[in-house]
Amino acid sequence: MTLTLQQLNETSYSDALQSLEGLFEHSPWVMDRALSKRPFASLAQLKYVLATVVSTASSDEQLSLIRAHPELAGKAMVAKTLTSESTNEQNQAGLTQCTADEFNKIQKLNADYNAKFGWPFILAVRGPRGTGLSKAQIISTFERRLGYPADYELGECLRQIHRIAEIRLQDKFEQMPSLGIEVWDWHEQLAQFSDPVFKEAGQLTVTYLTEAHRACAALLMQQMQACGFDEVKIDAVGNVVGVYKSTDPDAKTLLTGSHYDTVLNGGKYDGRLGIYVPMMCVRELQKKALRLPFHLEVVGFAEEEGQRYKATFLGSGALTGDFNPAWLDQVDAEGISMRQAMRDAGLPATLEAIKGVQRDAKNYLAFVEVHIEQGPVLNELNLPLGVVTSINGSVRYLCKVQGMGSHAGTTPMNRRKDAAVATAEMILAIEHRAIKDADSVGTVGQLHVPSGSINVIPDACLFSIDLRAPVDTQRDAMEADIVSQLNAIAQKRGVSLKIDRILAVPAAPSDLKWQARWEDAIKGLGIPVHRMTSGAGHDAMKLHDLMPQAMLFVRGENAGISHNALESTTAHDMDLAVAAFQCMLKSLV
Amino acid sequence: MTLTLQQLNETSYSDALQSLEGLFEHSPWVMDRALSKRPFASLAQLKYVLATVVSTASSDEQLSLIRAHPELAGKAMVAKTLTSESTNEQNQAGLTQCTADEFNKIQKLNADYNAKFGWPFILAVRGPRGTGLSKAQIISTFERRLGYPADYELGECLRQIHRIAEIRLQDKFEQMPSLGIEVWDWHEQLAQFSDPVFKEAGQLTVTYLTEAHRACAALLMQQMQACGFDEVKIDAVGNVVGVYKSTDPDAKTLLTGSHYDTVLNGGKYDGRLGIYVPMMCVRELQKKALRLPFHLEVVGFAEEEGQRYKATFLGSGALTGDFNPAWLDQVDAEGISMRQAMRDAGLPATLEAIKGVQRDAKNYLAFVEVHIEQGPVLNELNLPLGVVTSINGSVRYLCKVQGMGSHAGTTPMNRRKDAAVATAEMILAIEHRAIKDADSVGTVGQLHVPSGSINVIPDACLFSIDLRAPVDTQRDAMEADIVSQLNAIAQKRGVSLKIDRILAVPAAPSDLKWQARWEDAIKGLGIPVHRMTSGAGHDAMKLHDLMPQAMLFVRGENAGISHNALESTTAHDMDLAVAAFQCMLKSLV
């Protein structure tokens, strides 16, 4: 019998407990504490409460919750008969149909894992779509997580337990995230296209105007048409533009979208989620023959990552009139100019045509963008969605500390000009200053003593700095403090410091009214509102120059890893993103 | 007219000043303050007083002293006629016979130097032997010093001013460092032999039992014979052993010496100075037909650096019975075993013969060793000689910090496991702990974030640790503190730390009685006694296992750089080292 939220909220405590049988069955305290919070406004809220019960439990309770879980490896079995014909099918069949090699590998991983962490490996084997991971995916996840620090892996086990509970709740309530699953599948379809060398390696890479890129554009057009957009076209820079018209031809337009190109060996969701979520909303409106009091324009931006040409944000930039004419003559690694690439793609490749892409702000309400977070915050907070307050401004430096090399044994500590120690002090100063702001970040990603010897005091040390903050004045203040502190450290230690500022991008704070609309949409889903800055740049940063903008973030799995094949979110979270977009649209009617 | 120290001490102040005309002529305050310290016990003491006057002067006085100096580049002139025949001769002729290219280079260097430092480039062009640097040497010194930090280069200019004064004093007092110059020339003769590839590149490399190494041994034997040693031989491991006998055949023996092999592209003085200084003492004794009440045994150790075979201290180790039989089977880069190399050199290559090299402690008084400092201390303190209190014990580690890589923009500061920041904190902890001891040293010489990206938080960081201290208990305490601090930092920051201890060598404190003899010898020369530890390992460290030992350090130029072609000391300092050794011998009579 299907459970409903109303039943769960209104029934007696013991019946409620009974109805949730099979969830946290070895650790009844979880359900016990969660049910004390009834009534729940939504399934999403119940899930969040369950997660909060666990995350606020004591370490001992968390550990015993994990340890109560059966060994995943205990389910591994060697298949009785294995023919080469049946192998492919069995790859989908979980751990009960292993080859002897796979079985041994799993047993070894399991032993190493238990020895390192002291608890069993936990994985929601139904995976992010809810329909099952392959043996290969299970084994590679096992291998990867074996390398994690213990405290992080403990958190990951708890998150996997939540994911298992989420799927069991879906079954009990028969609330399939069906729009989310469709959006998931659209991503899979689009991910079939990848630039040749990468495709062969099983990697996803779609760079500007390659064959794969044009195939993506063609598929997006098709999909938009199937969704019921009234106008669908590819513009002069390769953006795929779909318009779902209002009944009022003079109405303004709400602009949304994100990019469909990728970095080299990137993820399937970075950018594309922001095209597909509003497309699904149009599909649902059209299904019900509903029209909005404004036009809804969804753009799949052709170029955001700057991988084939150094022309980052070309797609969204073209809408703001920010197209650098010199780009047309820029050549890619194979010597093909952008002009030629455009012509090969059937685009006019003239500045006049590109100029025509520019939008007139007075026709637009705003730009809103959905994007996968690309960071660990929502995943760690057990929140499926978050609201962006600002896209951080950033500045980058390449630095060199020059000291004096000398013998590590014969040079007293007080007579050294050690480039590495000076750099170490600088790195801590950068961290210390960035922490002070709460929402600024500072990173030294490159660090290197050239030709370092164990018994020689480093004469030089090279490093990079990346500073970001949600507001330019905040970034500028941090930058000024850090540059002055670094110089002071150099002077104090008698070393010289060369710093080259190689990049500076201004911040793009969200429009407060549109940000509030996202917040209301999230509240409407029964989920707590989490406000956060975007550390990475997005197309909204370009549109910011032209109109109000605000972004919605969707949780990423695996600590929010992005620009990586491991980038992932779940069908459930995609479903909530569609629901949030729908709420937001509804609030404008 | 030749000036004497007695005259300088006894004459009136104005006559004394007059007699030193031409020294510090543009900065009379230097001589004025120095003469207030009359009487001087030795020329070495006068020089030290002059240096101290300058080093204790105000920054303004130091700068004006430097700025009063004429531009070296002002002396550069293009030769009127330059034929290919005369070029070689002109290379020795200072800066007045430059080619147009050389002239332009010097003018450019001069402009860059003045722009960087704001004072003229100062160099004692008569060089460390006192007989003149070549144009090529002057230009390369100019280029090198242009790269130094300003405060170091200021000190170097002051040291060059002292060197100019030292040479002028030598001329005025007609006190040529004649024994020092002969010792200097012996080093030049020995440096003619270098392993083939290095010789072609103009570099000095003499590794165990190569042709160049055997030529060195043959020359050392010849030179010892010419000095009047009574017995000279090459022993079973290739050590060159000379004995200057006492009249009493039953007398004990004072052992001294150092090594004649070098590192790859090493200096001319590392090791060899400790063979030549006592050889010169024997030459002088023999000249005057003087005998000592003990035998004096001088050993040129064949192997100390461990370059061809991993058998560091093989030469001195053989005297203590510390020869690892497995070494005989070790092969060099070309596959030649040590056994074969020994046979090729005409050595017996049997363990029995090698065993025969071992000395019986009861026949020996002690081991004393003269060595170039290989560090910056004496050079900085304007002291030609120093006394070693202990050869430091050392310990080495290779370390890896493993954190978690993630996006530099999207990962808040409080959610990072940044391997580079953790390492930075560790580096400062190492420095802080080493400084606490005053005479311990701690160095991170290798430092590297593998495949670091400017916008990615480092997931891993590799580094090395080298710790040294004059006493084992001190080293052990420092090591324990550092290891525990590093682990605490790793734990605090949620990263893992892997540390591998790859080397540990015990300390060798000097015998106090023999150390005192070196101190008395230095005092006898009118020079202040400076006690210091040896940060580098030496042959005395091996002999320490068998008998009392104590070392004398000789100042190195160029911040004491060693294991480098720039390693240098002056003929004056070598002369003082011979004098100190003679004083020490005299004290035993």
Side-chain angles (χ1 to χ4, degrees):
Chain A
M1 205 192 74
T2 310
L3 185 63
T4 67
L5 208 57
Q6 194 182 353
Q7 282 167 7
L8 184 73
N9 283 335
E10 293 175 1
T11 189
S12 71
Y13 174 82
S14 62
D15 284 359
L17 206 57
Q18 176 80 33
S19 70
L20 294 174
E21 212 190 349
L23 280 97
F24 301 96
E25 69 271 37
H26 305 291
S27 306
W29 55 270
V30 178
M31 217 32 102
D32 188 44
R33 290 180 207 172
L35 286 179
S36 73
K37 308 285 184 203
R38 288 189 302 172
F40 304 113
S42 66
L43 208 50
Q45 192 181 41
L46 167 57
K47 290 179 201 169
Y48 180 72
V49 167
L50 284 169
T52 307
V53 165
V54 172
S55 65
T56 57
S58 72
S59 292
D60 284 351
E61 286 172 329
Q62 291 178 341
L63 260 176
S64 72
L65 171 63
I66 292 172
R67 291 196 174 124
H69 234 78
E71 292 268 2
L72 179 69
K75 298 175 192 160
M77 285 171 59
V78 177
K80 290 218 169 56
T81 54
L82 257 184
T83 64
S84 58
E85 265 172 76
S86 60
T87 305
N88 259 336
E89 214 171 304
Q90 282 157 0
N91 270 335
Q92 305 301 325
L95 295 182
T96 52
Q97 295 287 322
C98 292
T99 65
D101 270 4
E102 286 167 344
F103 181 82
N104 291 335
K105 196 163 203 174
I106 290 165
Q107 298 309 318
K108 170 83 169 71
L109 282 167
N110 197 53
D112 291 349
Y113 187 98
N114 289 346
K116 174 170 177 182
F117 298 114
W119 63 73
F121 176 67
I122 295 173
L123 176 65
V125 290
R126 278 175 63 184
R129 189 182 185 274
T131 42
L133 296 172
S134 68
K135 274 183 295 182
Q137 286 173 318
I138 293 172
I139 290 171
S140 75
T141 304
F142 214 153
E143 283 171 337
R144 176 164 47 84
R145 284 175 44 193
L146 183 54
Y148 287 161
D151 60 343
Y152 177 79
E153 179 56 15
L154 186 119
E156 187 60 23
C157 285
L158 296 176
R159 281 188 289 275
Q160 293 295 325
I161 289 172
H162 294 312
R163 178 66 187 150
I164 293 167
E166 178 168 55
I167 291 170
R168 289 193 185 163
L169 284 171
Q170 162 199 304
D171 295 347
K172 274 197 183 290
F173 285 81
E174 284 185 16
Q175 282 200 15
M176 288 282 283
S178 46
L179 299 184
I181 289 174
E182 276 190 272
V183 169
W184 171 279
D185 292 341
W186 285 349
H187 284 91
E188 287 300 307
Q189 286 167 40
L190 196 61
Q192 73 187 284
F193 306 112
S194 183
D195 292 343
V197 188
F198 299 92
K199 174 134 190 139
E200 284 155 32
Q203 297 177 344
L204 179 67
T205 299
V206 177
T207 58
Y208 191 46
L209 296 182
T210 60
E211 206 176 315
H213 186 269
R214 283 143 62 189
C216 285
L219 179 60
L220 281 170
M221 273 190 78
Q222 258 180 43
Q223 289 170 326
M224 282 185 179
Q225 280 154 348
C227 286
F229 280 80
D230 301 299
E231 286 172 9
V232 182
K233 64 166 183 183
I234 293 181
D235 72 14
V237 296
N239 295 327
V240 183
V241 184
V243 183
Y244 187 67
K245 292 202 164 175
S246 168
T247 42
D248 172 8
D250 297 329
K252 290 201 176 189
T253 300
L254 177 63
L255 189 66
T256 186
S258 191
H259 62 99
Y260 65 90
D261 68 321
T262 76
V263 295
L264 309 186
N265 193 15
K268 294 173 185 168
Y269 310 99
D270 175 4
R272 295 161 175 208
L273 187 64
I275 308 171
Y276 283 134
V277 166
M279 273 171 66
M280 182 53 80
C281 295
V282 168
R283 216 268 319 261
E284 291 299 291
L285 286 167
Q286 201 270 346
K287 230 183 191 175
K288 294 166 196 153
L290 293 173
R291 291 281 161 174
L292 299 166
F294 49 87
H295 309 302
L296 181 61
E297 183 175 353
V298 181
V299 184
F301 294 109
E303 210 305 324
E304 191 254 20
E305 303 283 8
Q307 300 281 305
R308 182 173 177 189
Y309 299 100
K310 296 230 167 306
T312 317
F313 297 112
L314 180 152
S316 46
L319 270 69
T320 70
D322 180 17
F323 184 92
N324 179 351
W327 284 345
L328 287 176
D329 295 314
Q330 206 188 132
V331 295
D332 70 3
E334 282 162 18
I336 299 164
S337 71
M338 188 187 285
R339 182 178 288 106
Q340 190 57 49
M342 283 180 161
R343 284 184 186 146
D344 293 347
L347 303 177
T350 64
L351 286 176
E352 201 187 346
I354 294 166
K355 188 97 188 132
V357 171
Q358 192 175 341
R359 300 301 196 265
D360 187 343
K362 74 173 189 301
N363 302 327
Y364 285 85
L365 293 170
F367 179 73
V368 290
E369 182 176 358
V370 177
H371 207 285
I372 189 163
E373 181 199 335
Q374 303 186 279
V377 177
L378 295 174
N379 190 46
E380 208 183 288
L381 297 176
N382 296 304
L383 288 170
L385 303 172
V387 179
V388 175
T389 55
S390 178
I391 304 169
N392 282 352
S394 69
V395 60
R396 289 184 182 172
Y397 285 89
L398 290 179
C399 309
K400 180 177 186 179
V401 170
Q402 182 72 51
M404 274 185 80
S406 51
H407 193 296
T410 61
T411 314
M413 296 306 287
N414 61 1
R415 281 181 180 80
R416 297 178 171 213
K417 297 179 188 304
D418 185 323
V421 180
T423 301
E425 194 172 344
M426 293 176 189
I427 292 172
L428 290 180
I430 292 166
E431 183 197 41
H432 188 252
R433 180 59 185 79
I435 284 174
K436 229 169 111 176
D437 285 342
D439 54 1
S440 292
V441 287
T443 307
V444 172
Q446 299 177 326
L447 175 63
H448 183 45
V449 168
S451 325
S453 292
I454 197 163
N455 61 345
V456 177
I457 297 166
D459 69 331
C461 191
L462 306 173
F463 65 103
S464 64
I465 308 176
D466 180 306
L467 303 176
R468 310 195 194 196
V471 185
D472 286 342
T473 49
Q474 179 178 329
R475 181 204 62 183
D476 295 345
M478 169 169 62
E479 182 185 4
D481 284 355
I482 285 176
V483 168
S484 116
Q485 281 170 44
L486 264 47
N487 280 315
I489 291 166
Q491 193 167 17
K492 182 185 75 178
R493 289 189 173 268
V495 299
S496 70
L497 171 67
K498 194 170 156 286
I499 52 175
D500 288 332
R501 195 184 204 246
I502 57 165
L503 182 97
V505 178
S510 300
D511 179 82
L512 290 179
K513 216 164 55 206
W514 287 91
Q515 181 187 320
R517 293 195 172 107
W518 282 129
E519 292 176 6
D520 290 343
I522 291 175
K523 278 182 218 152
L525 299 172
I527 306 167
V529 170
H530 182 71
R531 295 179 190 89
M532 61 194 301
T533 63
S534 169
H538 294 293
D539 291 305
M541 222 162 81
K542 294 308 285 185
L543 274 309
H544 182 83
D545 294 342
L546 208 63
M547 58 185 82
Q549 60 81 21
M551 291 186 72
L552 177 74
F553 268 176
V554 181
R555 161 168 60 185
E557 305 292 297
N558 304 322
I561 195 166
S562 184
H563 287 189
N564 190 298
L566 286 172
E567 184 190 64
S568 181
T569 183
T570 64
H572 286 89
D573 289 356
M574 289 178 175
D575 203 67
L576 287 170
V578 172
F581 207 105
Q582 288 174 322
C583 285
M584 190 270 292
L585 290 177
K586 206 177 247 175
S587 75
L588 295 168
V589 174
Chain B
M1 206 190 72
T2 311
L3 185 63
T4 68
L5 208 57
Q6 194 181 353
Q7 283 166 8
L8 185 72
N9 284 334
E10 292 175 2
T11 190
S12 71
Y13 174 82
S14 63
D15 283 357
L17 204 59
Q18 174 83 32
S19 70
L20 292 173
E21 212 191 349
L23 280 97
F24 301 96
E25 68 271 38
H26 305 292
S27 306
W29 55 270
V30 178
M31 219 29 105
D32 188 45
R33 290 180 207 171
L35 286 179
S36 72
K37 309 285 184 204
R38 289 187 302 172
F40 304 113
S42 66
L43 207 49
Q45 191 180 42
L46 167 56
K47 289 180 203 170
Y48 179 72
V49 167
L50 284 169
T52 307
V53 165
V54 172
S55 66
T56 57
S58 72
S59 291
D60 284 350
E61 285 172 330
Q62 291 179 340
L63 261 177
S64 71
L65 171 63
I66 292 173
R67 291 197 173 124
H69 235 77
E71 292 271 0
L72 180 68
K75 298 175 190 161
M77 284 171 61
V78 178
K80 291 218 169 56
T81 55
L82 258 183
T83 64
S84 59
E85 265 171 75
S86 60
T87 305
N88 259 336
E89 212 172 302
Q90 283 158 0
N91 271 334
Q92 306 299 326
L95 295 182
T96 53
Q97 295 286 323
C98 293
T99 64
D101 270 4
E102 286 167 345
F103 181 82
N104 291 335
K105 195 164 206 175
I106 289 165
Q107 298 310 319
K108 170 80 169 71
L109 282 167
N110 197 53
D112 291 350
Y113 186 97
N114 289 346
K116 175 170 176 182
F117 297 114
W119 62 72
F121 175 67
I122 297 174
L123 176 65
V125 290
R126 278 174 64 183
R129 188 181 185 275
T131 43
L133 296 172
S134 70
K135 273 181 297 180
Q137 286 172 319
I138 293 172
I139 290 171
S140 76
T141 305
F142 213 153
E143 283 171 337
R144 176 164 46 84
R145 285 174 44 193
L146 183 55
Y148 288 161
D151 59 343
Y152 177 79
E153 179 56 15
L154 186 120
E156 187 60 23
C157 284
L158 296 177
R159 282 188 289 276
Q160 293 295 327
I161 289 172
H162 294 314
R163 178 66 186 150
I164 293 167
E166 178 167 56
I167 292 171
R168 289 191 185 164
L169 283 171
Q170 160 200 305
D171 294 345
K172 275 195 183 290
F173 285 81
E174 282 184 16
Q175 282 199 15
M176 287 283 283
S178 47
L179 298 183
I181 289 174
E182 276 190 274
V183 169
W184 171 277
D185 292 341
W186 284 351
H187 284 90
E188 288 298 307
Q189 286 166 40
L190 197 61
Q192 73 187 283
F193 306 113
S194 183
D195 291 344
V197 188
F198 298 92
K199 175 137 186 133
E200 283 156 32
Q203 297 176 345
L204 180 66
T205 300
V206 177
T207 59
Y208 191 46
L209 295 181
T210 60
E211 204 176 315
H213 187 269
R214 284 143 61 190
C216 285
L219 179 60
L220 281 171
M221 274 190 77
Q222 258 182 43
Q223 289 171 326
M224 282 184 178
Q225 279 155 348
C227 286
F229 280 80
D230 301 299
E231 285 172 9
V232 182
K233 64 166 185 184
I234 293 180
D235 72 14
V237 296
N239 295 327
V240 182
V241 184
V243 183
Y244 187 66
K245 292 204 164 173
S246 169
T247 43
D248 172 8
D250 297 329
K252 291 201 174 188
T253 299
L254 176 63
L255 189 65
T256 186
S258 192
H259 62 98
Y260 64 90
D261 69 321
T262 76
V263 295
L264 309 187
N265 193 15
K268 293 172 185 170
Y269 309 99
D270 175 4
R272 297 161 174 208
L273 188 64
I275 308 170
Y276 282 135
V277 165
M279 274 171 66
M280 183 52 80
C281 295
V282 168
R283 216 270 315 263
E284 292 299 291
L285 286 168
Q286 201 269 345
K287 229 180 190 176
K288 295 168 195 153
L290 293 173
R291 291 281 161 176
L292 299 165
F294 48 87
H295 309 300
L296 181 61
E297 183 175 353
V298 181
V299 185
F301 294 110
E303 210 304 326
E304 191 253 21
E305 302 283 9
Q307 300 281 307
R308 182 173 177 188
Y309 299 99
K310 297 233 168 303
T312 314
F313 297 112
L314 180 152
S316 47
L319 271 69
T320 70
D322 180 16
F323 184 92
N324 179 351
W327 284 346
L328 287 176
D329 296 315
Q330 207 189 133
V331 295
D332 69 3
E334 281 161 19
I336 300 165
S337 72
M338 189 187 284
R339 182 179 288 105
Q340 191 57 49
M342 284 178 161
R343 284 184 186 147
D344 293 346
L347 303 177
T350 64
L351 286 177
E352 201 189 347
I354 293 166
K355 188 97 189 134
V357 172
Q358 193 174 341
R359 300 298 196 269
D360 187 344
K362 75 173 188 302
N363 302 327
Y364 285 86
L365 292 171
F367 178 73
V368 290
E369 182 176 358
V370 177
H371 206 286
I372 190 164
E373 180 198 334
Q374 304 187 279
V377 177
L378 296 174
N379 190 47
E380 209 182 288
L381 297 176
N382 296 303
L383 288 170
L385 303 171
V387 179
V388 175
T389 55
S390 177
I391 304 169
N392 283 352
S394 69
V395 60
R396 289 184 182 172
Y397 285 89
L398 290 180
C399 308
K400 180 177 185 177
V401 169
Q402 182 73 51
M404 274 186 79
S406 51
H407 194 295
T410 61
T411 315
M413 296 306 287
N414 61 1
R415 282 182 179 80
R416 298 179 171 212
K417 297 181 188 303
D418 185 323
V421 181
T423 300
E425 194 171 345
M426 293 177 189
I427 292 173
L428 291 180
I430 292 165
E431 182 197 40
H432 188 252
R433 180 58 185 81
I435 284 174
K436 230 171 111 178
D437 286 340
D439 54 1
S440 292
V441 287
T443 307
V444 172
Q446 299 176 327
L447 175 63
H448 184 44
V449 168
S451 324
S453 291
I454 197 163
N455 60 344
V456 177
I457 296 165
D459 69 331
C461 191
L462 306 173
F463 64 103
S464 63
I465 308 176
D466 179 307
L467 304 176
R468 311 194 192 195
V471 185
D472 286 344
T473 50
Q474 179 178 328
R475 182 204 60 183
D476 295 347
M478 169 169 61
E479 182 185 2
D481 285 354
I482 285 176
V483 168
S484 115
Q485 281 170 43
L486 263 47
N487 280 316
I489 291 167
Q491 194 168 17
K492 181 185 75 176
R493 290 188 173 268
V495 298
S496 69
L497 172 67
K498 194 168 156 287
I499 51 174
D500 289 331
R501 195 183 204 245
I502 57 165
L503 182 96
V505 177
S510 299
D511 179 81
L512 290 179
K513 217 165 54 206
W514 286 91
Q515 182 186 320
R517 292 195 173 107
W518 282 128
E519 292 176 6
D520 291 343
I522 291 174
K523 278 183 218 151
L525 299 172
I527 306 167
V529 169
H530 182 72
R531 296 180 188 88
M532 60 194 301
T533 63
S534 169
H538 294 293
D539 291 305
M541 223 162 80
K542 294 309 286 185
L543 274 310
H544 181 83
D545 295 341
L546 208 63
M547 59 185 82
Q549 61 80 21
M551 291 186 72
L552 177 74
F553 269 176
V554 181
R555 162 168 60 185
E557 305 293 297
N558 305 322
I561 194 166
S562 184
H563 286 189
N564 188 298
L566 285 174
E567 184 190 65
S568 181
T569 183
T570 64
H572 286 90
D573 288 356
M574 290 178 175
D575 202 69
L576 286 170
V578 171
F581 207 105
Q582 287 173 323
C583 285
M584 190 269 291
L585 290 177
K586 207 177 247 176
S587 75
L588 295 166
V589 175

